[in-house]
Amino acid sequence: MPEPITPDTKDWTWVLEQPCAECGFDPSAQTLADLPTLMHDSAMVWTDVLRRPDARERPAPGVWSPLEYACHVRDVHRLFAERVQLMLDQDDPTFANWDQDETAVEGDYPGQDPAEVDVELVEAAGHAAGLYATITPETADRGGVRSNGSAFTIGTLGLYHLHDVVHHVHDVRA
């Protein structure tokens, strides 16, 4: 088992207000209507990443391999789709806490099959994209609250979600 990664404890909600200097994501350049296409396009990148001969190799101690990042992105798509559906089904739900590092360990990210992860990631991205495609101006402002108190609308959650997946494409240099 590889050594644990360095936990990311940053509150990334600032990416809703300003561009990310690391990956170049600019929230003001995206709209809710853009999400389905952008989710699809970002997912397609992972097929080539997961076919790399070094997909299982960590670039540095404590940093996820491309495979581990792909597993995380798959799970991010699943989690955000669940949260959007919750926001559609309930008024102002509070989301359960999600520990990405615990999920990586419990899910044995390094031991997963890259070909299976590729299929699962594309399916999860497609499901999330399809869900965002159903959002109307009347539902875009439905709210939800993360366990740390950060409040989102479906629109802001979608941008936060998009940044996460775009940023990880950057992390694996794709």
Side-chain angles (χ1 to χ4, degrees):
M1 187 72 169
E3 72 179 65
I5 66 152
T6 304
D8 183 355
T9 57
K10 292 183 216 169
D11 179 355
W12 286 88
T13 54
W14 60 266
V15 301
L16 296 172
E17 305 296 326
Q18 64 190 43
C20 179
E22 288 181 45
C23 72
F25 178 84
D26 183 354
S28 68
Q30 324 300 323
T31 68
L32 187 58
D34 298 328
L35 290 181
T37 299
L38 296 172
M39 293 279 171
H40 170 271
D41 293 351
S42 71
M44 295 301 100
V45 172
W46 289 97
T47 298
D48 289 336
V49 170
L50 289 165
R51 289 182 180 159
R52 292 179 188 166
D54 67 345
R56 291 182 180 276
E57 295 175 25
R58 287 186 168 185
V63 176
W64 277 341
S65 69
L67 171 61
E68 290 168 290
Y69 272 116
C71 291
H72 171 69
V73 169
R74 174 203 59 209
D75 292 347
V76 163
H77 283 305
R78 290 173 175 168
L79 176 77
F80 278 79
E82 289 173 10
R83 289 180 173 181
V84 169
Q85 190 63 59
L86 195 61
M87 293 167 85
L88 289 169
D89 294 343
Q90 297 178 19
D91 291 332
D92 297 311
T94 298
F95 310 132
N97 189 43
W98 185 60
D99 184 326
Q100 66 185 21
D101 301 312
E102 182 179 310
T103 301
V105 171
E106 289 177 1
D108 185 25
Y109 283 4
Q112 293 198 25
D113 179 341
E116 288 179 22
V117 171
D118 182 29
V119 170
E120 293 168 352
L121 189 155
V122 170
E123 288 174 351
H127 176 69
L131 194 54
Y132 286 117
T134 70
I135 303 304
T136 65
E138 294 76 32
T139 58
D141 289 330
R142 291 188 58 82
V145 179
R146 204 167 57 182
S147 60
N148 71 353
S150 297
F152 292 91
T153 63
I154 291 176
T156 59
L157 188 74
L159 290 175
Y160 186 74
H161 177 185
L162 180 61
H163 170 261
D164 197 311
V165 299
V166 166
H167 195 96
H168 294 315
V169 167
H170 167 78
D171 285 334
V172 297
R173 312 288 186 254

